Amino acid sequence: MLGAIALSLFLLKLKYLVGLIVIICKFPIVSVDPACRLSIIEAYEEYEYIHEGDVTIGGILTVNSFIIPFSESGEGPDSLMCVSAMLQFYRQLLDFIFAIEKINNDPVLLANVTLGYHIYDSCGDPRKAVRSVFQILSGTREPVPNYSCVGKRNIAGFIGDLTLDTTVPIAQILSLFGYAQISYGATGSLLSNRVAFPYFFRTVESDNSHYFALSKLLKYFGWTWVGIIIFSENNEDLKLLSHHLSNNGICVEFHIKIHNYNTDVKYEPYKEIIQNSLTSVIVFCGTASMHMIGGLGLQSDAFSTKTIIVSFTVAANSHILDYAPKLFMGCLGLLQYFSYSLDSPERRLFLETIYPLKYPKDKLLENIWIRYYSCLSEDQDKNTFFERIYKRKLQNCTGWERISHLHQFDNKFYSPRVLLAVNMMSRALHDIHFSHSNQALTSKMVYKFQLQYYLRNILYDIHEDKTSVYVENGEHVSQYLIYNCLLDMDGRIAVTNVGLFIPWAPSDQKMHKGSIRWKTNNSQIPRSQCSDSCLPGYRKAPRGRTKACCYDCVPCSEGEISNITDSENCIRCPDMEWPTKKKRWCTAKKIEFLSYSDDVISVLYLMFSAILFLITVLVLGIFIKYQDTPIVRANNSSLSFLLLVSIKLSFLSVFLFLGRPVDITCMLRNITFGITFSIAVSSLLAKTIMVYVAFKATKPGSSWRKWVGVKLSNSVVLFCSSIQIIICMTWLAISPPFQELDLHTYPGTIIIQCNEGSAIGFYSVIGYMGLLAAVSFVLAFLARTLPDSFNEAKYITFSMLLFCSVWITMIPAYLSTKGKNTVCVEIFAILTSSAGLLFCIFLPKCFIILFRPERNIKSTMLGRKTLISM
């Protein structure tokens, strides 16, 4: 079953490959032998580098930037000419050759095995790249698909290419044959598909990873409002970058696509867009050509206040920055950081030996020499061509001119991507040889379909940590190097490395940076935001249908905070906490209760309660001392003593209302004053009844005489008080009061209070107490017309009037207040009503006892009638 699936997949890819070859062969094909040869239009000049070995690594590198149709006859294009050889690209070719020589001189890495190479220049063209692949596989200058004309050659894998356009067709062909491929520059996310490209690897990260890092860099500096200039015909690059920017809260004010290589592109409309934009940061991404950068360089005054951020794909072609130095002044760029060292004595010595006189057959070296040194070659046609293309006069040179002495040769943008690719493939070969050490002839080992497993498992030392070079999608993962571009004294671009950037690290560890020279006047980080950052304590509020980066800052709502800049939402504080004044963090809520130490009113209540308690004790002492005098006996001394004790307890009950409430005090406070007040009012009710009975009993032959005595009064007090006690006990048994934390009445305050448990129980106690007071008031009011000798009823009437007025007024005040104010109202009612009873009933009697003793005699008390002792 698996074999059938593999065969179907192979046939499908082969069918696709045939279609690909038909598409890319746009020029006439000269068919010599269609059965065994594939004829693609030839290059005017082939750039081939070959060194045979036991194991061969194929290389397809871009040295010339592009190709043009060329015809020697002038009647039509019959070949392709590679033009615009770049010094940096040629240096990558030298890295390839140097790495092979270094590995061969290493006695440990590949012992008894010599590495060879077969390298072609793809000239940045897919047709040339496809032809080069088949040339290497066939081993001949004319490609023969699926056939090798070099029987002893053993190809391990391929390295190349630089761009996505040339790398994809190479990868499609090599995936059919099972050869591992390592690209040193193709960043397209398409190549991350391991199903379509199972043998593909690269020493760079994909565009997806690059744009992820770029968006993290913009977010790190707080830039949320940017412009984009993309050098690509592919909309996928713009979509991918916009996706990552959006995920990091960054908005795009404008985007400009430049994808025409012609020099007659109109850049003036772009200049107007850039000048009218509000952003201070513009991102360059894609693959730019010298013509594009040169055209933008002519509009460099539009970028005078803009900071340019150069993506990795633009910076990879480092030479283009030299075409518009004023444009890139003050720019910031990203480069993948490679810990693989470029500087070594062997490598410097190798590069010093590269000059035309030593390698006269190296046509690429000759082209580089002609272009950069303006030297005449032996080929007059080539001299004429170069003078016409580069518009400068060539001169005679010695041939000893070394390319390593050129200014453009050594710069800080250059990275060892090709060196790393060769090194990784050699290490994979070492691992596969080590795992097959029992085989005698390792040079005849077949590497197809198995080398990728060893590449996938290579570990590489990065900052003392063993880190896998390739992740699952075949990318080389690394940190990023941040650089800053300045102008030197000669007006050329000078690059300064300012630190490392780690996109996946926490925000405070993302970048280890040095000093950066910005374009701003004070050299501060430029601001690039549609709206000012919202400080802690505020949150973002979108402005209608505008972009998410344009917003207003509004304060957090009551009870909420924000402790970070540019918070999307505010956070509600826990129930026990409340925001500070600036709403930046939560603090413990203020605790409120009627405290002994913090509230003045508590001290006043304590003082009044203590004073009234002492007065009550004094009155009780007076009555005890003068208990045998007529005025004390006439008012039923036992009821007077009971009334004074209950009043005294009422004053003491105030202490239960002060301080931090707990469950036990909550249960005792209302129960205590309810029972003590009921006893007091019951005593007054008994006094009123006895006054009325005593008056009736003075008449001769009255039947009321049998009710005169302490039994009636005691029975009244006991009965009336017992009902209140039953009510209180029932309340405690069913739903007793308890401590409660009120978190919502006053914002930022926790009120510690007593919950009555049962409102019915509480109002039953108050209601029954009011009922007793009302009955006492009515009876005392009816008895007020009795003779003056029995004027006790008048005092009771007045005291009950005061008592009822206080408690009737207390009810609405109690219901309309909250927190400790409710407790204050209740304490005030207790003190006022108790004091009213004390002073209205006992003050006149104490006045007579102490200051009018002559009236405290039996004859005075009887008056005109005989008084029966009560």
Side-chain angles (χ1 to χ4, degrees):
M1 182 65 181
L2 292 176
I5 295 175
L7 180 60
S8 300
L9 183 61
F10 177 83
L11 293 175
L12 180 62
K13 289 186 175 181
L14 187 60
K15 180 180 179 181
Y16 178 75
L17 176 61
V18 172
L20 172 69
I21 295 173
V22 171
I23 291 173
I24 64 176
C25 297
K26 297 180 180 178
F27 298 100
I29 298 177
V30 180
S31 179
V32 179
D33 187 359
C36 63
R37 297 185 59 192
L38 172 67
S39 294
I40 302 177
I41 188 170
E42 296 182 2
Y44 173 75
E45 191 171 45
E46 287 280 7
Y47 304 103
E48 180 185 21
Y49 298 83
I50 186 168
H51 174 75
E52 294 295 344
D54 299 328
V55 180
T56 300
I57 298 178
I60 303 171
L61 310 183
T62 296
V63 181
N64 286 283
S65 299
F66 53 93
I67 63 172
I68 57 175
F70 179 76
S71 174
E72 292 183 308
S73 62
E75 297 179 355
D78 52 19
S79 63
L80 304 173
M81 176 174 283
C82 299
V83 294
S84 189
M86 304 304 301
L87 181 61
Q88 297 299 313
F89 296 166
Y90 183 71
R91 186 178 176 183
Q92 292 170 343
L93 172 64
L94 296 179
D95 284 346
F96 194 122
I97 297 171
F98 170 75
I100 296 294
E101 291 183 4
K102 184 178 179 181
I103 292 167
N104 287 333
N105 293 329
D106 189 337
V108 177
L109 187 59
L110 288 174
N112 302 321
V113 177
T114 302
L115 279 184
Y117 55 81
H118 194 174
I119 306 172
Y120 277 97
D121 179 12
S122 70
C123 304
D125 187 88
R127 294 166 295 178
K128 182 69 172 64
V130 170
R131 178 182 177 88
S132 299
V133 171
F134 285 112
Q135 284 176 316
I136 295 172
L137 291 175
S138 301
T140 59
R141 297 295 296 272
E142 291 297 328
V144 182
N146 204 28
Y147 184 80
S148 175
C149 298
V150 184
K152 295 182 178 180
R153 172 175 289 185
N154 192 357
I155 300 176
F158 284 76
I159 292 176
D161 193 4
L162 178 65
T163 65
L164 181 67
D165 292 338
T166 56
T167 303
V168 169
I170 294 172
Q172 290 169 335
I173 294 171
L174 295 180
S175 64
L176 294 173
F177 295 99
Y179 285 109
Q181 175 190 2
I182 303 177
S183 170
Y184 63 95
T187 59
S189 299
L190 170 68
L191 294 167
S192 297
N193 187 341
R194 302 309 290 172
V195 176
F197 306 101
Y199 307 105
F200 178 80
F201 299 86
R202 47 187 161 187
T203 57
V204 293
E205 290 187 310
S206 66
D207 287 334
N208 183 62
S209 301
H210 291 151
Y211 292 146
F212 170 79
L214 183 61
S215 63
K216 291 296 182 182
L217 180 69
L218 296 175
K219 184 178 180 181
Y220 176 81
F221 285 107
W223 297 325
T224 58
W225 190 247
V226 301
I228 297 176
I229 297 180
I230 185 165
F231 306 99
S232 175
E233 298 181 8
N234 190 356
N235 289 326
E236 292 301 319
D237 286 342
L238 181 60
K239 290 181 181 178
L240 193 58
L241 177 57
S242 300
H243 169 73
H244 285 292
L245 293 178
S246 177
N247 286 345
N248 286 277
I250 301 170
C251 299
V252 179
E253 182 180 4
F254 69 88
H255 69 268
I256 297 172
K257 292 181 65 176
I258 303 176
H259 51 78
N260 195 329
Y261 283 78
N262 296 328
T263 56
D264 58 351
V265 177
K266 303 298 182 183
Y267 288 93
E268 286 75 14
Y270 302 151
K271 178 179 180 180
E272 184 178 353
I273 294 173
I274 294 166
Q275 286 180 328
N276 295 334
S277 65
L278 299 177
T279 181
S280 300
V281 175
I282 299 178
V283 179
F284 281 14
C285 59
T287 304
S289 69
M290 63 185 71
H291 300 297
M292 295 176 180
I293 297 302
L296 284 178
L298 296 176
Q299 318 298 328
S300 59
D301 54 329
F303 295 87
S304 59
T305 59
K306 311 295 184 182
T307 297
I308 296 176
I309 308 300
V310 183
S311 71
F312 171 79
T313 51
V314 175
N317 300 329
S318 56
H319 56 275
I320 67 172
L321 272 64
D322 295 325
Y323 287 90
K326 290 184 179 180
L327 176 67
F328 290 101
M329 183 187 68
C331 76
L332 208 64
L334 279 83
L335 279 175
Q336 266 194 268
Y337 174 72
F338 296 92
S339 58
Y340 194 93
S341 177
L342 278 171
D343 192 18
S344 67
E346 297 86 356
R347 188 169 182 274
R348 287 195 299 270
L349 180 61
F350 173 79
L351 294 176
E352 284 291 325
T353 62
I354 306 300
Y355 51 90
L357 201 59
K358 184 176 181 180
Y359 299 100
K361 294 183 179 180
D362 190 342
K363 298 302 181 182
L364 274 176
L365 176 59
E366 183 182 55
N367 292 347
I368 295 289
W369 180 64
I370 296 173
R371 177 177 179 181
Y372 287 92
Y373 277 111
S374 299
C375 294
L376 288 167
S377 69
E378 296 179 358
D379 188 342
Q380 187 59 40
D381 293 336
K382 181 178 287 190
N383 293 336
T384 304
F385 175 80
F386 271 86
E387 287 180 342
R388 187 176 74 249
I389 291 294
Y390 297 106
K391 296 180 176 59
R392 60 174 177 261
K393 190 70 175 176
L394 302 182
Q395 60 189 1
N396 290 319
C397 298
T398 64
W400 288 89
E401 291 81 8
R402 289 165 171 77
I403 61 171
S404 59
H405 295 172
L406 290 168
H407 166 71
Q408 300 90 337
F409 186 79
D410 192 15
N411 64 71
K412 295 185 179 181
F413 288 109
Y414 190 77
S415 57
R417 291 174 286 166
V418 175
L419 276 172
L420 183 62
V422 178
N423 182 270
M424 292 301 101
M425 187 161 288
S426 65
R427 292 183 62 172
L429 291 172
H430 171 78
D431 292 342
I432 195 172
H433 286 183
F434 182 78
S435 63
H436 296 78
S437 58
N438 293 330
Q439 295 185 11
L441 299 175
T442 56
S443 61
K444 294 184 178 180
M445 184 180 299
V446 177
Y447 302 100
K448 295 192 299 182
F449 301 107
Q450 60 175 329
L451 188 63
Q452 75 275 8
Y453 297 111
Y454 295 89
L455 281 172
R456 203 177 292 168
N457 296 320
I458 288 177
L459 297 179
Y460 198 74
D461 293 331
I462 300 178
H463 294 292
E464 299 180 356
D465 293 330
K466 285 286 188 178
T467 305
S468 179
V469 170
Y470 298 113
V471 294
E472 290 183 1
N473 59 1
E475 296 178 24
H476 173 60
V477 178
S478 68
Q479 302 172 355
Y480 282 84
L481 185 68
I482 307 299
Y483 63 86
N484 188 205
C485 291
L486 305 172
L487 292 182
D488 60 15
M489 298 297 293
D490 299 326
R492 295 182 300 190
I493 285 290
V495 179
T496 303
N497 294 336
V498 295
L500 289 176
F501 183 72
I502 309 173
W504 55 86
S507 57
D508 59 337
Q509 302 174 14
K510 282 186 183 296
M511 188 170 179
H512 308 282
K513 63 178 182 295
S515 60
I516 299 175
R517 294 278 298 276
W518 303 101
K519 282 186 177 181
T520 53
N521 294 330
N522 54 2
S523 195
Q524 296 295 315
I525 298 176
R527 179 186 173 275
S528 187
Q529 297 173 319
C530 180
S531 302
D532 290 331
S533 296
C534 292
L535 298 175
Y538 293 81
R539 66 172 177 85
K540 296 179 180 179
R543 294 178 182 172
R545 296 183 179 180
T546 59
K547 294 185 178 182
C549 298
C550 301
Y551 50 82
D552 296 316
C553 296
V554 297
C556 290
S557 303
E558 189 176 80
E560 296 180 339
I561 65 161
S562 66
N563 52 10
I564 59 173
T565 302
D566 288 336
S567 176
E568 297 284 348
N569 299 293
C570 294
I571 305 170
R572 179 162 293 278
C573 288
D575 289 340
M576 303 301 290
E577 295 181 353
W578 193 252
T580 58
K581 185 177 181 180
K582 293 185 177 180
K583 298 185 178 180
R584 294 185 178 182
W585 58 81
C586 298
T587 60
K589 285 184 177 180
K590 177 185 175 184
I591 296 178
E592 181 180 278
F593 59 89
L594 208 55
S595 172
Y596 287 105
S597 57
D598 298 333
D599 293 295
V600 177
I601 194 169
S602 297
V603 178
L604 293 176
Y605 279 147
L606 283 173
M607 182 177 65
F608 284 126
S609 179
I611 292 172
L612 291 173
F613 173 77
L614 293 175
I615 292 174
T616 307
V617 171
L618 179 62
V619 171
L620 180 60
I622 293 172
F623 267 58
I624 291 175
K625 182 178 180 180
Y626 296 97
Q627 62 180 331
D628 295 329
T629 60
I631 195 170
V632 175
R633 294 183 63 196
N635 288 281
N636 196 328
S637 58
S638 60
L639 287 179
S640 297
F641 294 151
L642 182 61
L643 180 58
L644 285 171
V645 171
S646 61
I647 291 174
K648 183 172 62 174
L649 293 176
S650 297
F651 289 136
L652 291 177
S653 68
V654 170
F655 289 89
L656 295 174
F657 289 84
L658 300 176
R660 187 187 183 99
V662 293
D663 289 344
I664 187 64
T665 56
C666 289
M667 288 188 287
L668 290 177
R669 59 169 58 171
N670 290 322
I671 301 300
T672 301
F673 96 83
I675 292 176
T676 54
F677 266 76
S678 296
I679 293 173
V681 177
S682 298
S683 300
L684 291 178
L685 179 60
K687 275 179 171 289
T688 305
I689 293 173
M690 291 309 297
V691 168
Y692 186 80
V693 169
F695 174 76
K696 292 293 186 179
T698 57
K699 296 179 181 180
S702 175
S703 61
W704 291 92
R705 288 181 176 270
K706 63 181 179 179
W707 298 104
V708 176
V710 296
K711 289 184 178 181
L712 177 61
S713 61
N714 292 341
S715 299
V716 170
V717 172
L718 182 61
F719 177 75
C720 294
S721 302
S722 298
I723 294 176
Q724 184 70 294
I725 292 172
I726 292 173
I727 293 173
C728 292
M729 293 302 104
T730 304
W731 180 16
L732 289 179
I734 296 176
S735 182
F738 57 89
Q739 183 200 63
E740 179 185 57
L741 301 181
D742 184 356
L743 306 175
H744 308 292
T745 299
Y746 296 116
T749 302
I750 299 175
I751 301 174
I752 303 179
Q753 61 186 12
C754 289
N755 188 304
E756 306 305 340
S758 172
I760 296 175
F762 174 74
Y763 288 109
S764 296
V765 170
I766 300 297
Y768 180 72
M769 192 170 59
L771 176 64
L772 289 179
V775 172
S776 298
F777 172 74
V778 171
L779 290 178
F781 181 78
L782 294 175
R784 75 188 187 285
T785 57
L786 295 177
D788 290 342
S789 298
F790 301 93
N791 57 7
E792 178 82 347
K794 295 180 180 179
Y795 300 137
I796 295 174
T797 301
F798 187 74
S799 65
M800 286 297 98
L801 179 62
L802 178 63
F803 185 90
C804 292
S805 299
V806 169
W807 286 98
I808 290 173
T809 307
M810 174 264 184
I811 297 300
Y814 180 86
L815 295 176
S816 62
T817 55
K818 297 292 183 182
K820 62 181 181 182
N821 295 330
T822 303
V823 182
C824 290
V825 168
E826 199 168 355
I827 293 175
F828 179 79
I830 293 172
L831 290 177
T832 305
S833 56
S834 299
L837 293 179
L838 176 64
F839 293 121
C840 291
I841 301 297
F842 296 101
L843 188 60
K845 297 177 176 59
C846 290
F847 180 78
I848 292 174
I849 292 173
L850 297 177
F851 301 106
R852 294 289 188 269
E854 67 277 5
R855 296 180 60 185
N856 190 14
I857 57 177
K858 190 172 183 180
S859 58
T860 303
M861 298 300 298
L862 289 174
R864 291 174 297 175
K865 298 183 178 180
T866 304
L867 176 67
I868 301 175
S869 178
M870 294 178 289

